[in-house]
Amino acid sequence: MRKPKVIFIGTAGGRVTTFRLVRRSGGFLIDWGTVRVHVDPGPGAFVYLKEKGIDYTSIDLIVLSHMHLDHTADVNTLLEACSDGGKRRGLALFAPASALDGPDRVVLPYLKKRLSTVGVIREGAELTYKDVRVKAVMKHQHHGAETYGLSFNDDQVVYLSCARYEEKMLKVYPRRPRVFIINTTFYSRRRDIDHLSVEEVKELIRVCEAKTTVITHFSMEMHQRNPEKVAHELSQELGLNVIAAHDGMELELE
Ligand SMILES: [Zn+2]
Ligand SMILES: [Zn+2]
């Protein structure tokens, strides 16, 4: 059996790094060994998975944290690819209701028939598919989009997706997860934009004490500051293991 790992397909966040292709997008893939989950397949995920040598039909579940394009651009392409054009059964999708239905839906209605299971993500609720349990830790404030922070398999991987900072996060985000992925778009706090900064997540990293904290989803500001250096400084200051994701990075869940 393969060792479980997280593959960071892309690490861009914000319009400039994403849409000028300064960094790749495409979210991340959790390979549990027996089951594969792709989270937030943004622009390029389809191509980058192939580059990584990942067989589309080995992906069992696609999860969307919210409907923004940088997290969902390739979802429809993956519904075709992962279901082998509908020939392979057993593909599931978990997403907020707004990404599935309504005026801002991002999943093409005609492609829903490619799916064996559709799960609607709701705050506090847990969804299960095969050996994967996905719990919506909390609903975030994020430019009016229905967005959730997610925990996979009893906090083995916790994902704090895009969000405005809230004190509540210190209470509800789980303690001692194996891997804590945080979309840390900025270095300095930006009150006008609903994205997290290093300044804001520091306390959260401290109280959650993950075995490994991974910062990702970088704006130009973070990109230019050198995320590896920022992560190193956080590790030193907090006495915890904090790393910065880079495009294509693989992290084993030891
Ligand atoms: Zn985003
Ligand atoms: Zn977003």
Side-chain angles (χ1 to χ4, degrees):
M1 203 176 81
R2 297 185 299 266
K3 266 194 181 169
K5 61 182 174 181
V6 183
I7 303 172
F8 293 84
I9 303 295
T11 59
R15 290 195 190 103
V16 179
T17 41
T18 306
F19 296 108
R20 292 186 193 165
L21 200 47
V22 177
R23 283 172 171 261
R24 291 181 170 195
S25 291
F28 57 91
L29 183 107
I30 314 174
D31 183 351
W32 296 105
T34 47
V35 190
R36 282 174 165 175
V37 185
H38 193 112
V39 183
D40 284 351
F46 174 63
V47 172
Y48 304 143
L49 284 168
K50 182 82 172 183
E51 256 186 38
K52 273 277 175 197
I54 291 156
D55 176 4
Y56 301 120
T57 61
S58 71
I59 294 171
D60 305 278
L61 171 64
I62 297 170
V63 179
L64 309 178
S65 67
H66 65 297
M67 44 60 74
H68 283 157
L69 191 69
D70 57 327
H71 297 255
T72 61
D74 277 9
V75 66
N76 292 297
T77 310
L78 286 187
L79 293 187
E80 281 288 12
C82 301
S83 69
D84 197 14
K87 289 202 280 287
R88 170 190 174 236
R89 299 305 297 164
L91 179 66
L93 172 73
F94 293 167
S98 59
L100 297 166
D101 295 299
D104 283 335
R105 67 181 179 268
V106 292
V107 179
L108 293 172
Y110 88 95
L111 284 175
K112 281 190 191 164
K113 61 177 177 290
R114 302 281 185 259
L115 291 160
S116 298
T117 304
V118 178
V120 179
I121 298 174
R122 289 187 189 86
E123 190 171 40
E126 188 171 80
L127 297 165
T128 305
Y129 186 68
K130 293 186 176 171
D131 288 336
V132 184
R133 293 177 305 287
V134 184
K135 189 179 176 196
V137 176
M138 72 175 270
K139 191 173 175 181
H140 293 163
Q141 295 178 32
H142 179 53
H143 295 297
E146 186 189 6
T147 307
Y148 296 95
L150 304 166
S151 167
F152 298 85
N153 284 358
D154 304 318
D155 308 334
Q156 292 201 63
V157 177
V158 173
Y159 173 42
L160 199 167
S161 61
C162 303
R164 166 176 283 274
Y165 181 75
E166 293 177 70
E167 287 282 320
K168 183 186 170 188
M169 289 173 173
L170 297 172
K171 286 203 196 74
V172 302
Y173 268 90
R175 300 303 188 255
R176 298 176 191 274
R178 208 159 172 189
V179 174
F180 190 13
I181 300 166
I182 307 179
N183 284 1
T184 312
T185 306
F186 296 111
Y187 186 82
S188 306
R189 181 180 316 187
R190 289 281 302 261
R191 292 183 196 281
D192 54 329
I193 301 179
D194 288 352
H195 273 293
L196 294 168
S197 62
V198 171
E199 225 176 286
E200 293 161 313
V201 300
K202 212 178 268 186
E203 188 56 20
L204 190 63
I205 296 172
R206 192 198 308 274
V207 299
C208 289
E209 292 183 288
K211 206 163 176 188
T212 305
T213 301
V214 183
I215 55 171
T216 184
H217 208 64
F218 304 125
S219 66
M220 260 331 254
E221 184 222 18
M222 269 298 272
H223 177 74
Q224 284 164 346
R225 268 191 181 259
N226 185 352
E228 280 77 18
K229 186 168 163 275
V230 172
H232 180 72
E233 286 165 2
L234 283 170
S235 296
Q236 299 277 303
E237 188 184 333
L238 303 171
L240 292 161
N241 182 29
V242 183
I243 60 173
H246 56 261
D247 293 346
M249 182 176 90
E250 299 192 10
L251 179 70
E252 274 188 5
L253 303 177
E254 357 80 74

